[in-house]
Amino acid sequence: MAPLRFSANVSWLFPELPGLAARLQAAGRSGFKAAEVGWPYAEPPEVLARVAQEAGLQLVLINTPPGDREKGEMGLAAVPGRQAAFREGLEQAVLYAKALGCPRIHLMAGRVPQGADRAAVRSEMETVFLENLRHAAGVLAQENLVGLLEPINTRVTDAQYFLDTPQQAAAILQKVGRPNLQLQMDIFHWQIMDGNLTGNIREFLPIVGHVQVAQVPGRGEPDSPGELNFPYLFQLLEDEGYKGFVGCEYQPQGDTVEGLSWLRSYWDRRGNP
């Protein structure tokens, strides 16, 4: 069983540092060999690529642009009337992914429109989502890239998000039927929505292209107080043969580097591939 490979989500880690470049450098100094970033679009991709290379980091994940955040948008792939904006954002994400050497793009589904009833618009949003995903799969395939769908919990984090359970995401992936679209498993969201992590991990891991971790309920380090047993979950991922990256997408409860003691312990025990 190969040890897990961890990536630093520099949109979350090292919040004491002012920009992505400084955070990438800190991730490299902390022992990470991979990093991910939510939205890299405020900085030129060539600059980020150079900094990542100098820090010894592989970029493994970015998100599609969120849309108009001032209007409450958080992704566009399933939002009716925003198809053109989604496709424009996808093109930007592909440009960044190519420049960064990043093989995966999280295709953000987006929120149920303000004032709309989720049940009333579900069918229309799924239709838009499927159309956009089929388009995205073709665009990504031309560049040998993978698109990811991430369910985000609607109980705590984002009550309006359209895609909120692994079951919903897996059903949509099956309907689209494209091999370069996969599931993004954020254990924080999965635990809040459904629990049953052992069963869900075993069921869905064959279609999972990326994993992210944070403790529940505080969304801190895996060894911070909470209800998840991460040594067990990491062992489960190893036992099930997971070969992708595990993104550290959590809110440091103090100094980021000091809070990485859980990861240094893992590396001491299992190695840092």
Side-chain angles (χ1 to χ4, degrees):
M1 293 172 291
L4 299 174
R5 298 181 296 168
F6 290 87
S7 61
N9 190 311
V10 294
S11 297
W12 290 71
L13 302 187
F14 310 103
E16 63 275 8
L17 298 177
L20 293 178
R23 295 181 184 191
L24 287 168
Q25 293 166 347
R29 289 193 301 270
S30 299
F32 285 100
K33 297 179 180 179
E36 56 196 69
V37 55
W39 297 307
Y41 306 108
E43 303 190 37
E46 297 81 8
V47 172
L48 295 178
R50 185 183 71 249
V51 173
Q53 183 178 22
E54 292 172 351
L57 294 169
Q58 175 188 359
L59 269 294
V60 299
L61 176 69
I62 61 173
N63 296 346
T64 49
D68 190 338
R69 297 196 70 184
E70 291 186 1
K71 294 182 179 179
E73 291 182 328
M74 186 60 70
L76 300 172
V79 181
R82 297 290 276 151
Q83 290 92 324
F86 167 75
R87 296 180 184 200
E88 181 179 333
L90 175 67
E91 297 294 339
Q92 185 182 22
V94 168
L95 286 174
Y96 268 74
K98 290 170 62 178
L100 296 170
C102 177
R104 297 169 200 84
I105 300 174
H106 168 205
L107 308 171
M108 298 195 71
R111 291 170 169 157
V112 174
Q114 292 181 346
D117 176 72
R118 177 181 293 270
V121 299
R122 183 182 181 98
S123 177
E124 180 187 7
M125 292 190 71
E126 181 172 305
T127 298
V128 170
F129 203 16
L130 292 172
E131 292 174 354
N132 279 332
L133 291 176
R134 292 186 181 103
H135 170 81
V139 171
L140 296 174
Q142 293 177 1
E143 305 295 345
N144 198 30
L145 298 172
V146 170
L148 299 173
L149 305 190
E150 179 189 17
I152 294 176
N153 83 80
T154 49
R155 289 180 170 162
V156 175
T157 301
D158 192 336
Q160 293 300 109
Y161 205 75
F162 173 70
L163 190 70
D164 64 352
T165 68
Q167 291 82 3
Q168 180 191 8
I172 286 172
L173 286 172
Q174 187 173 25
K175 290 178 181 178
V176 178
R178 302 294 175 88
N180 66 327
L181 298 184
Q182 299 175 345
L183 186 58
Q184 181 170 322
M185 176 174 68
D186 188 322
I187 288 176
F188 173 81
H189 295 305
W190 287 31
Q191 168 67 5
I192 289 172
M193 287 304 293
D194 195 50
N196 188 32
L197 288 177
T198 299
N200 283 335
I201 287 172
R202 286 176 173 159
E203 179 179 356
F204 295 114
L205 200 61
I207 60 171
V208 167
H210 192 73
V211 172
Q212 292 174 326
V213 294
Q215 186 56 270
V216 177
R219 210 167 188 177
E221 290 88 348
D223 66 342
S224 60
E227 62 197 56
L228 295 181
N229 179 351
F230 273 101
Y232 169 82
L233 292 171
F234 292 153
Q235 187 63 56
L236 178 63
L237 289 171
E238 288 188 28
D239 292 345
E240 294 297 315
Y242 178 64
K243 297 295 192 294
F245 286 91
V246 177
C248 300
E249 185 180 282
Y250 58 76
Q251 297 168 341
Q253 303 300 288
D255 179 79
T256 298
V257 175
E258 292 180 4
L260 288 169
S261 58
W262 66 273
L263 184 52
R264 289 190 290 270
S265 296
Y266 181 91
W267 285 337
D268 287 343
R269 184 171 54 86
R270 297 291 287 124
N272 182 9

